Structure formats: structure tokens, C-alpha cells
Amino acid sequence: LLNFAHEVDSEALIQSAASAYISTPGSKVLLASKRATVDSLNAEISRRIHGDAPQIAALATARKIPATKAERERMSFYPVGRTLAKRGEVRRVERVDGDKIVTNRNEIIERPWEKGWDACDVSELALWQGDQLLAVDTFELTIEGKPVKVRNGTELTVVGKADDGGVILQLSDGRRGTTNPRSAIPVQYGYARTVHKSQGQTVDSAIFCDDGATGAAIGYVGTSRQKTGLTIITSDKNSLADRLSTWAARAPMTPTKE
């Protein structure tokens, strides 16, 4: 794998990986281990693609707060002021009463983890026409007046802004839907993604950004998404080699009759 690796200064890791992605033709994917690295890569690529062009919209996005199952099933995980999201619908915790939450809409949600509500961080994502987005959870779009489920992992393209303030998104099959301007949907830019989000994906070329958290399992999944081209960007080839080799040394393949 190191035959495909390019070593750069750690300060230039994000910029180098973004450059490799932009200059690679055909179908491609840019991968990293950490969500924070993916966010930085997406922001850098979006900045380079759009330059000084004016954005067409800002989309409210909701992202799950990382937590274990045990943490999610404690009411202390839902303090006053925390945002809850469910398929794009958002609520704010106004009061906690035992195992019940009273929301800013005066609704009562009992044991939110059993009702499909997730604790989320809500932020705004600047959008330009043609931007590529990736669904990071399930939500709904309005297509021809009807709510249609968009599944986790779906790729979408920004088409424009609707008259009601929502954003028009196009699915890979050509259908176009509109977001609810009062919702916060679980999407991110779709240029870079975590290795976890790439499982099962096959493209012409893969660019893998080693952010220091690459172990053998993540490394082998992330560097096997391509048909023909692989580029690894790392700030330390020797460290990457050690991390990729540890698993092989500990668990060698078992010979078979073949």
C-alpha cells in the first residue's frame, strides 16, 4: 500500500488531499477516518470549487451527537436546551420530567430513544448550485406533493432554492424534491466521507487521507474502494506502515486447501 502513498507536511495534509481529489478524473471518493477530518476536507473542497461565487441558500443540518447506547438511554443525556431530531423534524428540550421531555412545541416525548428521536447538533451549511451532498441519516423530501423517505448514504445534488425557502435537491434517479425550510436534515457535503460511510462503494479512483487514526481495518476498507486508481496522502509513512502491519502480524491469514 505504501507504493501508493505520498508523504506531505502535516500542515498541508488537508490541502494536499483536496488537491488530489479535485485533480482526479472519473468517479471518485475521498476518505478519512475521523469525522472532523472529513468536515475539514469538505470545507476546503467546497471553497476551492466555488471561490467567490455567491451561495444560493443555507441549509439547516442536524448531526447526531456521538454517544453509546447506554448514554442515549439516560435522561441526563437530554438536558434543557438540547436539540432533538427525527427524520428532519427538530424540537428543543424545554423541560425534563422523570423519563419525559417537554419540547418547545409543548409536546411530551417519553423515553425519546424509543421514539426515534436523536440528540443532535444543528448548524447551517452554505450551498451553491451543483453542490454534492450525502445523507448521513434518514429524512424526508417533498416530491410531487408527497413525503418521500431519503435513506442514509443517499447522494444528492443541489439544484436551487424553492419559493417557500426550502432547497431543491436531486436524487441520483433524476427525481427532485424540496426540503422543509423549518426542518434540519441530516446531510453533509458529499465530496469527502468517513470510511464507514464508504463500505460497499466502488469507484474508479479512491483518495485516502491518513489523519493518524488509520488502523488496519479502516485502512484496508478505505484503500479497496477503487477499480483502477489509489492515492494515499499521509504525513508519516513509517507510522502508517506500523499501523497497517500490526493486524497482519497479530492475525496472519489461515492457509486453505486452495
Side-chain angles (χ1 to χ4, degrees):
L1 284 175
L2 292 188
N3 290 328
F4 301 94
H6 300 267
E7 191 171 84
V8 300
D9 291 338
S10 57
E11 293 79 8
L13 189 69
I14 299 299
Q15 291 80 2
S16 298
S19 295
Y21 176 83
I22 291 172
S23 63
T24 299
S27 64
K28 54 192 174 183
V29 65
L30 174 56
L31 302 171
S33 303
K34 300 176 185 176
R35 195 167 81 175
T37 307
V38 168
D39 290 342
S40 296
L41 289 167
N42 275 324
E44 177 68 14
I45 292 170
S46 179
R47 182 188 67 78
R48 293 195 191 189
I49 289 174
H50 303 299
D52 297 327
Q55 68 183 68
I56 64 168
L59 183 65
T61 62
R63 297 183 70 170
K64 288 182 184 179
I65 296 173
T68 64
K69 182 175 183 292
E71 288 171 332
R72 291 195 303 270
E73 294 181 358
R74 297 189 189 114
M75 293 305 294
S76 58
F77 189 59
Y78 306 92
V80 172
R82 174 147 286 182
T83 299
L84 303 181
K86 178 181 179 180
R87 293 187 177 179
E89 292 293 321
V90 291
R91 303 288 188 270
R92 188 178 65 253
V93 178
E94 290 288 324
R95 192 172 76 252
V96 179
D97 183 10
D99 61 356
K100 299 182 179 67
I101 286 173
V102 180
T103 74
N104 58 314
R105 296 193 183 183
N106 208 31
E107 299 165 315
I108 296 176
I109 302 176
E110 185 175 357
R111 298 170 67 85
W113 58 89
E114 293 182 352
K115 304 296 190 294
W117 291 94
D118 294 304
C120 293
D121 290 322
V122 175
S123 59
E124 276 198 346
L125 189 67
L127 298 179
W128 286 260
Q129 189 162 358
D131 258 332
Q132 302 301 303
L133 302 181
L134 177 70
V136 294
D137 207 340
T138 300
F139 65 96
E140 291 181 346
L141 282 179
T142 300
I143 300 178
E144 297 180 351
K146 298 179 180 179
V148 175
K149 184 182 293 185
V150 177
R151 299 189 181 279
N152 187 0
T154 300
E155 296 179 341
L156 308 112
T157 303
V158 177
V159 175
K161 189 173 183 180
D163 293 338
D164 65 356
V167 177
I168 304 171
L169 302 176
Q170 181 170 302
L171 301 171
S172 58
D173 61 8
R175 289 181 299 162
R176 293 184 175 185
T178 306
T179 65
N180 182 340
R182 295 172 296 281
S183 67
I185 63 174
V187 296
Q188 65 176 46
Y189 289 127
Y191 306 111
R193 62 191 67 186
T194 61
V195 171
H196 175 71
K197 289 291 182 186
S198 75
Q199 293 194 59
Q201 185 177 15
T202 303
V203 291
D204 293 334
S205 302
I207 301 95
F208 187 85
C209 180
D210 170 36
D211 51 21
T214 307
I218 289 177
Y220 293 145
V221 173
T223 56
S224 59
R225 303 300 91 202
Q226 72 285 345
K227 296 178 184 176
T228 55
L230 172 64
T231 302
I232 301 172
I233 307 295
T234 180
S235 62
D236 192 334
K237 275 189 178 183
N238 290 332
S239 173
L240 177 61
D242 289 341
R243 285 180 273 124
L244 290 175
S245 300
T246 300
W247 176 84
R250 186 176 66 246
M253 289 188 294
T254 302
T256 65
K257 291 181 180 179
E258 291 74 22

